[in-house]
Each structure stands twice: as C-alpha cells, then as structure tokens.
Amino acid sequence: MRSLRRTFLAVLAATAVAVTAAGAAPSPTFRQLLDAGIPIYCGGGDQGYVAFTFDDGPGPYSAQLVALLKQYNVRATFFNIGQKVVRKPGLVRLEASVGAIGDHSFTHPNLITLPRGRIIAELARTQKAVRKITKRKVILFRPPFGDNDPGILRIARGLGMLEVMWNQDSGDASEASTPSSQEIYQHLVDRVRAGGIVLMHEDEQVPATLNALKLYLPVFQQTGLKAVTVPQLLALDPPPLEQVAKGSGGCNSSWPGP
C-alpha cells in the first residue's frame, strides 16, 4: 500500500508542477489515472455525463438489454466474465456495438483469496479472450464482488487496465437478495447523478434489472444527462487526481443541469 501511495503522490506532484506552469489545472489523462495506482469510482461530476455499467455477463438477457440501450441511445460498459465470453462470443460482439467491454475475471472468484499467479491468469485470460473477439484493447477491470487489495491493483495495472469501481449502486444484488424491478427503478431515480459510475448486473439472477431499466430510461431521457462509456466519461468529465485519492468519498455532482 505504501508503494501505491508513493506512486500516486509522484503523479500528483507532477500534475501540480504542470498546474503551476500552465496556470490552470489540467485534466488527468487515462495514463495518469492508470499510473495513480488506485481505483476510479466516478467522473468529475461537472458535466452532464453518466456511465452505466453491467457486471457478470454476457448472459440470457444480454440481447434484450442491448436492444433496450439502442432504443434509448445509451452507451454502456460491460464487465464480462471470461468463461462466459468464450462460450458466447456473439453476445460479446453485440455488447461491444453499444459500448466498452471490461475484464471481470475468468471464473468470478474472490481474487483476494488467490495466489498471485492465479490472479494474473484470471485477468489475463479474460483480457485476451475479449480482445480476440472484439479486436479492441481491454483497458478496464473490475474485481468480482468489488473485493480488492494493492496486489490486485498492481496486477491489473501491469496488464494495462484501470480498475473501475462505482459510486452509484442500483441495488440489484443477485440471487435471493435481488429486489423488485420497482425498487431498482426507484434506486436509479434517487441515486443517478452527473459524473456517476452506476453499478448494475446482467446475469441469470437479475431479469428485474432489465424491467427496471424499461421503467427508468424514459425518465433518464428527461434529465438532460447523457449515458456514455467509462472511457468516454473519463475523457469528457475526468475526476481531478485529488478527488481520485479520496475514493468514493471524493465523488460529487456539481453539474447544474441543461
């Protein structure tokens, strides 16, 4: 953890020099965010952009989800499980047509319980599989269950992937705790704000998410917000490095609206 902090402080110091020289705070590049060595939880919140993210696919509802996103002109980011990617390459390509594909490990284990070699294999196999199917470089990673430690961050960074968490949770936890579509819809209405990275799922357990989005996306269209991929969010409304250092506690939404 100390080495990660030193790396981040070095990046922050370099940015401060640039600020002094230029007289204005530059927006961090993707490379600077990657070099900071800590997870990203949100965008800057100054512009009218939101990043919807979907974990655990591709699955039986992926085609319906993509059709719905296309209907409302929504771009999204999908954190896919490698073993599902290998089995359903057509669905991965379909999801890539409406957004970005990220790495969510190969078998969805709790990575913090695994030795380093297994963690590398989990991430690298998925990254390679997605790239082979989509012909795109995979630059985003999200750990299963959101469980994390410095070693996992270093491995992801070594593979050229930025770790992306979230600051706005739809509450669509899978399996027995999955709430109703109406509850998920209300969470989205109450929680989605500018700069947010929104957590949702598309696995076998959560058809309620799809039904909630059918209710929510017409409402979202009226907010003036625009749904973009995580890379687009970080390019259009990047979080200042000082904000990144605070984790989810540094997220804010100061966009005044359309």
Side-chain angles (χ1 to χ4, degrees):
M1 183 63 77
R2 289 180 180 175
S3 62
L4 288 174
R5 284 204 189 104
R6 283 197 295 269
T7 301
F8 174 73
L9 289 173
V11 173
L12 196 58
T15 304
V17 171
V19 171
T20 302
S27 297
T29 64
F30 181 87
R31 184 75 236 182
Q32 286 175 316
L33 292 171
L34 182 64
D35 287 345
I38 51 179
I40 299 296
Y41 285 83
C42 56
D46 298 323
Q47 307 296 324
Y49 300 107
V50 169
F52 293 116
T53 67
F54 297 89
D55 287 6
D56 299 345
Y61 303 100
S62 297
Q64 295 177 61
L65 174 60
V66 169
L68 184 64
L69 297 178
K70 285 183 176 180
Q71 179 182 346
Y72 289 97
N73 195 31
V74 168
R75 304 287 290 175
T77 303
F78 305 87
F79 288 96
N80 284 350
I81 297 174
Q83 61 184 3
K84 294 184 179 182
V85 167
V86 173
R87 289 199 298 261
K88 300 290 185 180
L91 290 179
V92 178
R93 284 189 287 269
L94 186 64
E95 291 184 338
S97 72
V98 294
I101 308 295
D103 188 326
H104 198 44
S105 80
F106 199 81
T107 64
H108 203 269
N110 187 330
L111 294 175
I112 62 176
T113 67
L114 301 182
R116 184 174 184 274
R118 284 278 307 282
I119 298 172
I120 293 172
E122 284 281 341
L123 273 59
R125 288 180 71 189
T126 303
Q127 187 182 41
K128 182 179 179 180
V130 173
R131 183 166 187 171
K132 181 178 180 181
I133 291 167
T134 64
K135 313 303 180 187
R136 298 180 190 172
K137 187 176 181 181
V138 181
I139 59 173
L140 306 176
F141 160 70
R142 176 174 286 166
F145 313 108
D147 289 335
N148 198 10
D149 69 19
I152 296 170
L153 277 164
R154 283 193 293 268
I155 289 169
R157 182 184 170 211
L159 292 169
M161 294 190 293
L162 179 68
E163 183 171 306
V164 178
M165 301 295 275
W166 62 88
N167 71 313
Q168 296 171 4
D169 190 348
S170 70
D172 69 339
S174 58
E175 300 178 356
S177 58
T178 301
S180 68
S181 296
Q182 185 64 40
E183 288 177 279
I184 298 169
Y185 159 77
Q186 194 60 52
H187 289 158
L188 292 169
V189 170
D190 293 341
R191 298 173 185 177
V192 173
R193 297 291 182 270
I197 296 178
V198 185
L199 174 66
M200 289 180 279
H201 297 79
E202 57 159 330
D203 63 1
E204 298 85 339
Q205 306 292 341
V206 286
T209 303
L210 182 66
N211 293 327
L213 283 171
K214 290 177 181 178
L215 297 172
Y216 175 68
L217 289 181
V219 175
F220 177 78
Q221 280 193 320
Q222 305 305 312
T223 65
L225 294 166
K226 183 175 180 179
V228 297
T229 65
V230 169
Q232 288 174 325
L233 177 67
L234 298 179
L236 294 167
D237 186 22
L241 289 176
E242 296 88 346
Q243 174 180 312
V244 175
K246 297 177 182 177
S248 60
C251 296
N252 66 80
S253 180
S254 58
W255 181 61

